[in-house]
Amino acid sequence: MIPAIAQDATGGGVLMFAFMNRQSLQATVDGGTAVYWSRSRQRLWRKGEQSGHVQRARSIRADCDGDVLLSIDQEGGIACHTGRESCFFYQLQGDVWVAVDPVLKDPKDTYGK
């Protein structure tokens, strides 16, 4: 299991963090779209399988520790299941975490929940 960062290929922003195993990394290489290991589901998770917000891999890099960086094109402009562009939408302000990025799409419209 290795950490994986999804970075927007155009703007460079970090969109999300997930985990990959050998099988998900190979599936990403083979299919050209991001596949991660879902710890909550305990199975491979194809990004966008429910939401349609697929991540197309432009390049795959590894750092000196073998952690992975995916340079991706985010379809639909939304990487986070909360309806935001990025999963990194909380900012520490003093001693409180504040959601600073707007919801671009109501998750109910995507997931029906």
Side-chain angles (χ1 to χ4, degrees):
M1 199 71 63
I2 57 172
I5 297 290
Q7 180 182 34
D8 181 68
T10 305
V14 175
L15 299 178
M16 58 172 273
F17 167 86
F19 287 97
M20 295 180 107
N21 60 13
R22 187 178 304 272
Q23 188 178 6
S24 64
L25 182 56
Q26 189 62 55
T28 300
V29 170
D30 292 345
T33 59
V35 180
Y36 301 102
W37 174 258
S38 171
R39 294 182 305 157
S40 61
R41 298 176 186 111
Q42 289 295 295
R43 66 172 178 81
L44 292 181
W45 162 50
R46 295 181 183 284
K47 178 66 177 156
E49 66 187 21
Q50 290 180 311
S51 66
H53 302 145
V54 174
Q55 293 178 341
R56 303 234 177 257
R58 276 204 201 177
S59 71
I60 302 172
R61 299 180 76 143
D63 69 7
C64 57
D65 292 327
D67 304 328
V68 172
L69 173 68
L70 300 174
S71 179
I72 57 103
D73 292 316
Q74 179 67 55
E75 292 188 1
I78 298 171
C80 187
H81 73 281
T82 66
R84 292 175 174 87
E85 177 182 16
S86 168
C87 294
F88 294 93
F89 59 88
Y90 285 113
Q91 181 179 49
L92 187 59
Q93 296 181 358
D95 60 354
V96 178
W97 289 99
V98 178
V100 295
D101 294 340
V103 173
L104 302 176
K105 184 176 181 184
D106 187 332
K108 291 177 187 173
D109 295 338
T110 300
Y111 302 102
K113 295 179 184 178

